[in-house]
Amino acid sequence: MIDTRTARRRRWPRRAFSLLELVAVIAIVGLMATAAAMRFGFNAVAVCEGERTAYQITTTLRAARRAAIGTGDDHYLLFGRTGGEVVGFVLYRETGSGDQVVDANFDLPDEVMITTASDRWEFGFDGAVVGATSASTIRVDSPGFFWTLTVQHGTGAVRVVRTANP
């Protein structure tokens, strides 16, 4: 003889978590997050923001160089400042009818600081940096690390080096 209660349970499997299971999972995730913060430090997010910003500037410079070679129009990256401090950058294309925005404004996170001698990084039709006489650098600082972006004058090649702050 088959017990109808057992057969009914087999047909209707459980579809939700109990409150106790949910609380246990949240507690375990909280403990793991606390352990990760203690292990990697609370500046880990700021370091990630610095690295993301450095590589975002690098890819934008490389895109400007490729676009200048591809279209024959000069492209440039322009850093915007507020109170002497770099707060963002925009990619432009020079045309006969005026400059056009190619890529929207990138705002910098609060944890990141940029140091650059020039606010305008322009690439000509041949991919070379316009107006530069030697390799130029952009420095991106965040807590714990800094990134040095070097742009070669003749070729327009961009190189990134990450260094730990002393």
Side-chain angles (χ1 to χ4, degrees):
M1 178 163 202
I2 299 176
D3 185 10
T4 57
R5 287 179 285 170
T6 307
R8 184 177 297 176
R9 285 185 196 149
R10 287 187 200 143
R11 277 188 279 158
W12 300 102
R14 202 170 95 188
R15 295 183 183 176
F17 293 106
S18 70
L19 181 60
L20 182 62
E21 290 170 330
L22 189 59
V23 168
V25 169
I26 290 172
I28 290 170
V29 169
L31 286 172
M32 291 174 61
T34 303
M38 298 302 283
R39 168 75 172 97
F40 297 112
F42 292 101
N43 285 336
V45 173
V47 171
C48 290
E49 289 291 335
E51 185 164 15
R52 181 185 67 82
T53 301
Y55 284 99
Q56 194 171 36
I57 293 170
T58 302
T59 56
T60 305
L61 286 168
R62 289 176 178 161
R65 181 178 177 270
R66 280 193 307 271
I69 293 170
T71 63
D73 294 332
D74 288 3
H75 284 66
Y76 63 93
L77 179 73
L78 184 65
F79 287 102
R81 293 184 184 265
T82 300
E85 193 173 308
V86 175
V87 294
F89 58 93
V90 181
L91 179 60
Y92 289 96
R93 174 183 183 181
E94 283 188 359
T95 62
S97 60
D99 297 350
Q100 296 176 346
V101 175
V102 174
D103 216 344
N105 187 29
F106 294 99
D107 294 325
L108 298 181
D110 293 334
E111 302 86 12
V112 177
M113 189 175 94
I114 293 181
T115 308
T116 176
S118 174
D119 287 344
R120 184 177 169 128
W121 294 77
E122 186 173 347
F123 294 91
F125 69 94
D126 58 354
V129 179
V130 175
T133 57
S134 63
S136 303
T137 60
I138 300 170
R139 180 174 162 145
V140 178
D141 284 285
S142 74
F145 292 94
F146 67 89
W147 292 262
T148 305
L149 287 61
T150 307
V151 183
Q152 297 297 322
H153 163 65
T155 62
V158 182
R159 187 173 152 230
V160 181
V161 175
R162 178 177 138 168
T163 309
N165 279 331

